[in-house]
Amino acid sequence: MIHAPGDIRFEQRPDPRITEPADAIVRTVATCVCGSDLWSYRGINPVGDPHPMGHEYVGVVEEAGRDVDTVRPGQLVIGSFIASDNTCPHCRYGFQTACMRREAMTTCQAEYIRIPQAGGTLVAVPGDPDPALLPSLLTLSDVMGTGWYAAVAAQVKPGGTVAVVGDGAVGLCGVLAAKELGADRIIAMSRHHDRQKLALDFGATDLVTERGDEGVARIMDLTHGVGADSVLECVGTAESSAQARRATRPGGSVGFVGLPHGVEIDGGDLFGSMVGLRGGPAPVRRFLPDLIDRVLSGRMAPGKVFDLTLPLSEVAEAYRAMDERRAIKVLLQP
């Protein structure tokens, strides 16, 4: 529960119950703290009344409503941070986070969670996966799915040059996504040694420590004045947004998935740049079956973004560690 900026508490709450026929109750096996949770923790987003936190989860179905026919009790499942019916026109186009019945998941740092629109939201993990894969499976609920969407939105193609703005968990997963999609050159923008190391492990070929104008200049230098074919914007600040657009070649694309704060785009500048923009909240549900398969097959291991694991009861320390950059991403075990 968040009570005020900087005030996270572990509290006992009533167990969630099925309230609609499309609901399911999931016992969480693992959850975590997201970088976007820090906007409220730091007071940048208003907190308001005390309320639960968290939107990332992997768990076991305990109970399913009568309208849920795609998953059943006992199955290990993963779902998006936005619940969707997966049948409306927007869902069928592959943009489930714009579902006409969408509901935001906001109570997932907990032992049990109610999943609305469970039949469209949850995807069962086949077989009996190795517990060692749980961190990687957990990333698919948000950060890996979001990094993947950033790469897809930026039209990453085999042989292309990609720049990734942001070295948080989403940005690092964006590096991994670009590698999986066949990019030949991946420029990771980071000035933190531990994150640089992981970026290289995920497939980055170049590291840029500069930011702003200097960061753009460095990318232009690396690309012989052309710019990157695809840029993944994974932060959401005005500076990172401008840096991403300016580092993209004319005709290239930016995939922006960082939650915008103070971002303004000048129409004239955009018109002259000939850069394409696409982003927003990642339609994780679209990618889940493919990403689950990639994790289970051992093709990729995005769970490496978790560099600290704590019991759920120590959630306050998890927030402190991420806020103070002592951890990239913290996994919480109920």
Side-chain angles (χ1 to χ4, degrees):
M1 300 283 291
I2 186 167
H3 286 255
D7 185 2
I8 295 286
R9 306 179 195 178
F10 178 69
E11 299 179 355
Q12 294 298 321
R13 301 273 291 176
D15 287 345
R17 298 184 182 277
I18 288 178
T19 59
E20 299 291 339
D23 291 349
I25 303 301
V26 169
R27 172 177 55 83
T28 52
V29 174
T31 181
C32 54
V33 179
C34 182
S36 64
D37 293 331
L38 298 180
W39 293 108
S40 297
Y41 184 76
R42 292 168 174 164
I44 298 170
N45 288 347
V47 172
D49 294 333
H51 57 268
M53 292 286 286
H55 54 263
E56 298 164 279
Y57 56 97
V58 57
V60 175
V61 177
E62 292 284 298
E63 186 180 0
R66 65 176 181 270
D67 289 351
V68 180
D69 58 7
T70 58
V71 296
R72 63 181 184 275
Q75 287 184 311
L76 183 70
V77 294
I78 306 169
S80 168
F81 55 89
I82 297 289
S84 61
D85 62 18
N86 208 36
T87 60
C88 82
H90 300 323
C91 289
R92 292 199 301 270
Y93 280 118
F95 287 86
Q96 290 90 340
T97 39
C99 176
M100 298 171 76
R101 297 181 182 86
R102 67 186 179 273
E103 294 185 48
M105 298 301 303
T106 59
T107 63
C108 299
Q109 289 164 6
E111 295 171 328
Y112 292 89
I113 50 180
R114 181 182 71 88
I115 309 293
Q117 304 296 333
T121 302
L122 299 175
V123 177
V125 179
D128 186 18
D130 186 334
L133 296 178
L134 284 174
S136 288
L137 291 171
L138 176 58
T139 67
L140 309 186
S141 185
D142 184 357
V143 289
M144 187 64 232
T146 295
W148 194 272
Y149 176 57
V152 170
Q155 299 186 328
V156 173
K157 293 180 173 62
T161 295
V162 176
V164 180
V165 180
D167 64 356
V170 171
L172 292 166
C173 287
V175 170
L176 182 55
K179 178 67 173 178
E180 285 287 299
L181 291 171
D184 186 57
R185 191 173 195 183
I186 303 171
I187 304 167
M189 309 195 78
S190 173
R191 53 177 62 176
H192 301 93
H193 177 71
D194 56 340
R195 300 169 189 235
Q196 291 175 342
K197 184 176 183 299
L198 188 51
L200 292 170
D201 186 42
F202 277 175
T205 58
D206 301 88
L207 297 171
V208 169
T209 59
E210 296 85 352
R211 294 181 179 176
D213 292 343
E214 293 181 352
V216 173
R218 181 63 181 141
I219 289 178
M220 288 299 174
D221 180 57
L222 289 171
T223 58
H224 307 289
V226 175
D229 301 311
S230 304
V231 178
L232 283 54
E233 197 289 297
C234 304
V235 182
T237 65
E239 181 186 59
S240 64
S241 177
Q243 180 174 303
R245 295 193 305 274
R246 292 173 55 217
T248 309
R249 66 166 175 79
S253 297
V254 175
F256 61 100
V257 297
L259 187 63
H261 286 75
V263 176
E264 296 182 359
I265 299 174
D266 182 273
D269 288 346
L270 182 61
F271 184 81
S273 73
M274 293 180 281
V275 167
L277 302 179
R278 170 165 285 168
V284 168
R285 178 61 181 82
R286 187 208 309 181
F287 309 119
L288 273 176
D290 176 41
L291 296 183
I292 289 172
D293 181 67
R294 290 172 189 262
V295 167
L296 295 182
S297 67
R299 183 167 172 176
M300 65 181 197
K304 293 177 182 179
V305 296
F306 291 110
D307 53 350
L308 178 62
T309 298
L310 294 172
L312 181 61
S313 59
E314 296 182 24
V315 62
E317 169 58 18
Y319 274 79
R320 283 192 295 269
M322 286 183 60
D323 180 50
E324 297 167 5
R325 284 188 170 268
R326 290 185 282 113
I328 299 172
K329 192 168 179 68
V330 183
L331 186 146
L332 296 169
Q333 294 180 322

